[in-house]
Amino acid sequence: MPELIPILNKKEIEKKVHAVAQQISTDYAGCDLLFIGVLKGAFIFLSDLIRQVTIPVKVEFVKVSSYGGNTSSTGHIKLAYKPESDLKNKDVLIVEDIIDTGLTICYLLDYFSSFGPKSVQVCTLIDKRERRDKKIKIRYTCHVVEEGFLVGYGLDYAENYRYLPDIYCLKI
Ligand code: IMP
Ligand code: MG
């Protein structure tokens, strides 16, 4: 059986989601803000975040596949689902579960920038720096975790563990 080592509990997650939501509400007051959640991992984070934000926002999703059943990126990024609405002149905030190597977010930043939005920024639940090989500007980060493969609160390993309310490091 794989071992689950607790990393962040529900309360710690909630506290940071609330703080980031407040900051976003201040920074984007009066803007035409569009959250784009990266499926599937960010679905719980995004749904908690939008309910803590105090300004009107719209929501879209994008689906990227690069991991399969592995714990490291294959580096081949595919878009499996694209946002349906027009991004032109919108303030786009990409909502990610984890930024690891940075390949996925770099790809998404380039992709969304090509539609002429007013701005594109990144909001991540976890900034995992261990394997970062791209320099990226992350505007909002809830937690920095140095290493390990994380599961729970939307994060999976081969589609398992997403339903857990806390975040754990998986030891296989
Ligand atoms: P990157 O392209 O290497 O930055 O990988 C980012 C994507 O890989 C994230 O959107 C996650 O879905 C997935 N990922 C990276 N690290 C983990 C992890 O520790 N647990 C679960 N998914 C992860
Ligand atoms: Mg993901």
Side-chain angles (χ1 to χ4, degrees):
M1 272 294 274
E3 194 188 345
L4 292 177
I5 298 156
I7 298 287
L8 294 164
N9 66 37
K10 209 175 149 200
K11 278 268 161 290
E12 292 168 309
I13 300 168
E14 243 172 52
K15 207 174 141 192
K16 284 291 172 69
V17 170
H18 182 73
V20 165
Q22 278 189 319
Q23 192 59 56
I24 292 171
S25 306
T26 305
D27 295 349
Y28 287 94
C31 296
D32 199 359
L33 180 57
L34 176 67
F35 282 92
I36 304 183
V38 185
L39 291 171
K40 297 177 193 172
F43 82 108
I44 294 179
F45 175 43
L46 177 75
S47 62
D48 282 348
L49 190 67
I50 55 171
R51 286 176 296 168
Q52 292 290 326
V53 162
T54 56
I55 56 170
V57 300
K58 295 194 178 90
V59 178
E60 278 287 358
F61 290 98
V62 65
K63 190 168 192 301
V64 177
S65 28
S66 69
Y67 267 55
N70 303 319
T71 56
S72 63
S73 177
T74 58
H76 296 286
I77 296 163
K78 279 194 304 188
L79 278 189
Y81 176 79
K82 299 172 188 174
E84 287 164 346
S85 56
D86 188 5
L87 305 187
K88 199 160 174 57
N89 297 325
K90 295 265 163 53
D91 286 299
V92 170
L93 189 56
I94 308 173
V95 180
E96 252 292 26
D97 53 355
I98 297 195
I99 296 172
D100 183 19
T101 62
L103 284 170
T104 309
I105 202 68
C106 278
Y107 177 88
L108 290 175
L109 280 164
D110 279 354
Y111 178 72
F112 293 136
S113 297
S114 72
F115 295 97
K118 191 171 162 207
S119 67
V120 189
Q121 298 287 348
V122 178
C123 174
T124 189
L125 174 67
I126 292 165
D127 179 359
K128 200 169 75 172
R129 295 180 174 165
E130 169 190 28
R131 297 192 292 203
R132 182 70 38 82
D133 64 5
K134 297 263 182 191
K135 212 166 181 255
I136 320 150
K137 214 177 119 245
I138 306 174
R139 178 120 180 229
Y140 306 99
T141 300
C142 290
H143 300 275
V144 175
V145 175
E146 287 306 326
E147 57 186 1
F149 195 83
L150 308 178
V151 296
Y153 193 71
L155 312 174
D156 77 310
Y157 173 63
E159 295 303 324
N160 297 304
Y161 310 110
R162 290 195 200 276
Y163 60 92
L164 297 172
D166 299 340
I167 294 175
Y168 300 85
C169 179
L170 183 72
K171 293 275 177 225
I172 304 166

